[in-house]
Amino acid sequence: MRLPRLTTTLFIDLAIWMIGFGLLMGIIFPFFILILGLNSNDVLSTQFFAASISAGLFVGTANYLLARWVVRPRLQRLSEHTRKVEAAVRNATYHDDWENCTSTVCQIPVDSRDEIGESISAFNDLVDALLLSHEVEAASADFAHSLSRQLELNQLANHALERILSYTDANAGAVLIERMGELVVIAQQGLTQTDQLITSEPVRRCLTANSLVSVILPVDIMIDAVMAHARPREVCLLPLTVEHTSLGLFLIAKTQEFTFHARRMMHIFQQSFSLALNNALAHEHLQTLAAIDALTGAYNRRFGLTRLNEEFQRTMRLDTPLGIMVLDLDHFKTVNDTHGHLAGDRVLARVAETIRGNIRTGDILVRYGGEEFLLILPSAPEEACRALGERLRCAVAELRVNTGQHVLHVTVSIGLSVFPNDEAESTQQLIQYADEALYLAKHNGRNRLVRFGAAPVVSNNQCGAPIAITPARRRVAAHC
């Protein structure tokens, strides 16, 4: 039952209703007494009516005052805390300072189980929701801002994974991206057997459905614990997409089930992470385009020399060998003049492909200029360099390039220098040694490997027959 409002002030309405009800009780009380059989002359007298009405007004007034003293302080406290929260939110909006409104400061103790207690409880829930909203907004902004400063792919993935694990209280996770049609793990923390992730059914289901996949009690993933491996209670996988294009996914695991809040945070981070990952992949692609020679697929000269400096510094620091080869196609000008530059380009591309097919993953092939290549061999001892050089020379000699009208055959001359066997103070000096060795290879008939600084060897131009020059014959010349 709800009584109508008489004024705009609650306690004035309360006073009117309580005092009015007391007055009404004072008026009808004498008639109620008559029912009990008392003398009507005494009950209906002026004095008795006055006493009864006065008593009713007194009781009504007393009830109003009691209600005011009991209820009003609690309502005032609720109002004061509301004002405090309002002031804190307004201050935080402009100054980003939430120290004046925490759960401890802004919440009100619930001391009753009535409607006022429920109102206070609802107010506390509102404070919690407000603080949670601020926490989520701050976390989202911090996550997006921190990722915006990262363009290097692996650093971005590791940084994002670390933040996601922290904000969701997860124990382990991994980031997988699609490269050349295959999934690759580019970041992981706390997981073992990550190679099984790529072919696992939950990963396939996540990418196919393009939605969150939750797995309870997985059987094929373990979490690195301090002393042993722990089995997660739940694993969540979320796809990373931009404009319906799949980039990959991130996976997080926890030894307990994820809370509703953690799940919401996953979805919030999912969008920011997808955009940042797309930017990093685009940046990586641009860097690759800037570093790769479009015709041969080898690194260009600028990037190659930068990598050579890095490998030289690593060699100096770790005291490991470093091999340098300069390879030059023999009579390549004749190929261009006779068959045209398109045929020459095809020959260059096939030779570069042949070289890449015979070197290690960590070796660095550079198009040094025109028909000349530079091959950087980290941690390669001299004998391994010699063997590789002969293998490359033979592979190119056996290569046949079909241009559509002709089948072309080319050979390659190779100059080799090896640090620290060849004492050098700079990468330029190492290249100079290899270049001088290449000059001798050209001078002595081409299609051969020359090791700088070794004793002269007579070559029959067959595989396995290198020649060498001595340091006294150092000379740099143009090669044809």
Side-chain angles (χ1 to χ4, degrees):
M1 178 180 178
R2 179 178 296 178
L3 295 175
R5 293 296 304 272
L6 304 176
T7 68
T8 58
T9 305
L10 176 63
F11 281 97
I12 292 178
D13 283 0
L14 186 63
I16 293 174
W17 283 110
M18 284 188 170
I19 295 175
F21 185 74
L23 177 62
L24 178 63
M25 289 296 100
I27 293 173
I28 67 174
F29 182 74
F31 299 100
F32 178 75
I33 293 298
L34 290 176
I35 299 174
L36 299 179
L38 297 180
N39 190 332
S40 61
N41 292 328
D42 295 332
V43 173
L44 299 179
S45 66
T46 303
Q47 294 84 353
F48 192 86
F49 262 102
S52 178
I53 291 173
S54 299
L57 291 174
F58 176 79
V59 171
T61 303
N63 285 337
Y64 163 72
L65 292 175
L66 288 173
R68 182 184 178 92
W69 294 335
V70 172
V71 176
R72 189 166 189 173
R74 301 176 68 194
L75 294 179
Q76 285 178 332
R77 183 172 56 168
L78 180 60
S79 175
E80 290 171 359
H81 277 73
T82 303
R83 290 295 183 187
K84 182 185 297 185
V85 173
E86 185 271 339
V89 172
R90 189 180 298 276
N91 179 68
T93 301
Y94 296 106
H95 301 95
D96 195 26
D97 180 13
W98 287 81
E99 294 183 357
N100 294 325
C101 189
T102 63
S103 295
T104 305
V105 175
C106 290
Q107 287 191 346
I108 308 173
V110 180
D111 56 1
S112 64
R113 298 181 180 180
D114 52 20
E115 286 75 5
I116 293 181
E118 291 182 4
S119 298
I120 295 175
S121 180
F123 172 82
N124 291 340
D125 291 341
L126 178 62
V127 170
D128 285 338
L130 180 64
L131 295 176
L132 178 61
S133 174
H134 162 67
E135 178 185 335
V136 171
E137 181 182 0
S140 178
D142 175 67
F143 185 75
H145 179 68
S146 63
L147 294 190
S148 67
R149 295 176 294 180
Q150 302 284 343
L151 279 177
E152 199 281 319
L153 184 60
N154 290 331
Q155 290 182 1
L156 170 75
N158 282 287
H159 182 78
L161 181 60
E162 182 180 345
R163 291 297 183 95
I164 292 172
L165 295 180
S166 173
Y167 283 123
T168 59
D169 292 327
N171 304 105
V175 178
L176 293 78
I177 66 168
E178 292 190 32
R179 268 184 174 162
M180 306 294 291
E182 296 183 356
L183 281 177
V184 180
V185 179
I186 60 170
Q188 74 88 19
Q189 184 171 323
L191 291 179
T192 62
Q193 304 173 354
T194 54
D195 55 326
Q196 298 182 9
L197 292 176
I198 298 174
T199 58
S200 65
E201 191 275 336
V203 168
R204 181 192 61 78
R205 185 151 44 98
C206 175
L207 294 175
T208 302
N210 195 29
S211 62
L212 182 145
V213 172
S214 174
V215 182
I216 305 296
L217 292 175
V219 296
D220 56 352
I221 297 177
M222 302 294 288
I223 295 178
D224 282 336
V226 176
M227 298 299 293
H229 298 315
R231 189 179 303 280
R233 171 62 177 167
E234 183 176 7
V235 175
C236 286
L237 303 92
L238 282 91
L240 298 168
T241 59
V242 172
E243 296 182 352
H244 307 291
T245 300
S246 176
L247 305 177
L249 60 88
F250 71 88
L251 170 153
I252 54 177
K254 190 176 180 180
T255 53
Q256 300 175 352
E257 292 189 23
F258 288 102
T259 63
F260 174 79
H261 172 66
R263 291 176 182 272
R264 297 308 305 165
M265 295 301 293
M266 294 178 202
H267 286 289
I268 291 173
F269 294 146
Q270 180 184 18
Q271 183 176 8
S272 297
F273 192 12
S274 296
L275 293 175
L277 182 61
N278 186 58
N279 292 338
L281 288 171
H283 177 71
E284 182 183 59
H285 181 62
L286 290 175
Q287 282 191 317
T288 300
L289 292 178
I292 297 297
D293 175 66
L295 175 63
T296 62
Y299 289 118
N300 59 36
R301 181 186 179 113
R302 179 179 179 182
F303 183 82
L305 293 180
T306 299
R307 290 288 290 114
L308 175 58
N309 285 325
E310 293 173 355
E311 292 300 333
F312 187 71
Q313 294 299 323
R314 182 181 292 111
T315 293
M316 298 284 287
R317 185 172 64 254
L318 300 180
D319 194 24
T320 56
L322 176 64
I324 297 294
M325 287 186 194
V326 179
L327 306 90
D328 188 88
L329 299 187
D330 298 324
H331 301 297
F332 186 73
K333 185 177 184 300
T334 302
V335 174
N336 278 335
D337 293 343
T338 304
H339 302 283
H341 289 281
L342 290 179
D345 288 348
R346 188 172 182 83
V347 169
L348 283 173
R350 288 295 308 279
V351 169
E353 180 182 354
T354 300
I355 295 174
R356 282 197 301 272
N358 284 274
I359 60 178
R360 303 170 300 174
T361 302
D363 296 337
I364 303 165
L365 178 63
V366 181
R367 188 179 181 186
Y368 197 54
E371 68 272 22
E372 197 170 58
F373 294 91
L374 176 69
L375 186 57
I376 305 168
L377 306 170
S379 303
E382 180 171 333
E383 289 304 316
C385 292
R386 284 175 176 269
L388 174 61
E390 279 301 300
R391 188 164 70 248
L392 293 177
R393 185 180 69 81
C394 291
V396 172
E398 294 168 1
L399 178 66
R400 298 295 181 268
V401 182
N402 190 340
T403 66
Q405 296 178 338
H406 302 87
V407 176
L408 302 182
H409 166 239
V410 295
T411 58
V412 64
S413 298
I414 305 173
L416 168 67
S417 63
V418 181
F419 182 85
N421 296 12
D422 299 328
E423 297 181 2
E425 297 181 356
S426 66
T427 56
Q428 290 82 1
Q429 195 170 9
L430 268 180
I431 295 175
Q432 179 183 341
Y433 290 165
D435 203 47
E436 292 178 11
L438 175 62
Y439 169 78
L440 263 294
K442 293 283 188 178
H443 184 72
N444 285 272
R446 300 179 177 83
N447 187 24
R448 64 197 63 222
L449 167 72
V450 172
R451 161 73 173 91
F452 173 80
V457 177
V458 177
S459 173
N460 58 8
N461 214 25
Q462 300 297 317
C463 293
I467 67 171
I469 63 171
T470 62
R473 295 190 59 186
R474 294 177 185 173
R475 177 182 171 191
V476 179
H479 313 303
C480 59

